Amino acid sequence: MYRLLVGAIVPRPIAWVTTVDAGGVVNLAPFSFFTVASRDPAMLAISIGRTELEGKVAKDTLSNIRDNRQLVVNIATETHARELEISSLGWPTGVSEIERAGLTSRPSERVDVPRVAEAPIAFECRLEQEVVLGRDTLVIARVELIVVDDGVLDERGRISLAGLKPLGRMSGPRFCVDLAARTVAAPSVDLDSVVGS
């Protein structure tokens, strides 16, 4: 069933999550089961699966969130594909994926967890709640601050997909990057024009 889920529900946005462990080591990991959970207050939802690594009870990201209730969701762009893959490898606890990927951490303003300096968008968050769903844990994170690089904004102050070029997850070891290549306008429909309404 998993292969059908990840093959049919595409592209999926990627939450590139930074957390900090008890020793101050910055953890960085990508999660593609990710979306907006609430508009007001702003909240994000990230589904974190169980670890397959021997000797670990939970993935480092989830353990760190449980310990200090803070995280930063960074948005990776097409230029970050290699670094994102490096951060997804099964590094031992205590290893900083942000360093292994050759990235830079930058202090956040509202939380004690740093963000990825190279990422053009970062959501500084605090844990709102977690819900166990089967083998996964759904993390609901309240957004405290959104940091956006001016280079990804259009003339109206909105996010430009062409400027952002976010990575999206496809099935298997594939990403999509050209989300702005073709747009289709939503048809104009009103309730009275729908048959059977």
Side-chain angles (χ1 to χ4, degrees):
M1 191 168 305
Y2 173 78
R3 287 184 179 161
L4 294 175
L5 283 171
V6 299
I9 302 173
V10 292
R12 295 184 307 280
I14 300 170
W16 207 11
V17 180
T18 46
T19 58
V20 175
D21 71 14
V25 176
V26 179
N27 176 266
L28 175 64
F31 298 93
S32 68
F33 285 21
F34 160 60
T35 193
V36 174
S38 170
R39 297 169 225 210
D40 187 14
M43 294 190 201
L44 304 177
I46 305 160
S47 181
I48 301 176
R50 291 186 185 165
T51 183
E52 302 298 324
L53 298 176
E54 198 172 314
K56 286 191 177 183
V57 175
K59 289 190 175 181
D60 291 338
T61 300
L62 184 56
S63 294
N64 295 343
I65 291 170
R66 285 174 172 164
D67 287 347
N68 65 32
R69 305 185 64 81
Q70 299 179 28
L71 63 151
V72 176
V73 176
N74 303 276
I75 302 300
T77 69
E78 69 177 347
T79 62
H80 301 127
R82 183 173 190 280
E83 292 84 353
L84 190 133
E85 277 300 303
I86 290 170
S87 70
S88 75
L89 300 174
W91 297 100
T93 299
V95 170
S96 175
E97 293 84 355
I98 201 166
E99 291 176 7
R100 293 295 171 115
L103 296 165
T104 313
S105 63
R106 179 169 291 158
S108 294
E109 295 180 36
R110 303 271 177 89
V111 296
D112 296 326
V113 175
R115 60 189 177 91
V116 175
E118 292 83 356
I121 301 176
F123 299 87
E124 298 182 10
C125 303
R126 294 186 188 277
L127 176 64
E128 180 73 15
Q129 71 179 70
E130 64 175 83
V131 181
V132 175
L133 301 170
R135 292 178 42 87
D136 296 345
T137 299
L138 185 67
V139 170
I140 308 295
R142 181 187 290 256
V143 178
E144 300 289 333
L145 181 69
I146 305 172
V147 179
V148 181
D149 186 295
D150 289 341
V152 300
L153 297 175
D154 66 16
E155 63 281 349
R156 296 181 299 168
R158 296 181 180 174
I159 302 296
S160 162
L161 284 181
L164 179 59
K165 298 179 183 169
L167 278 179
R169 189 67 178 186
M170 303 299 283
S171 62
R174 292 185 297 270
F175 299 110
C176 67
V177 293
D178 200 7
L179 297 176
R182 180 171 178 250
T183 59
V184 178
S188 177
V189 178
D190 62 59
L191 190 60
D192 294 332
S193 68
V194 178
V195 177
S197 58

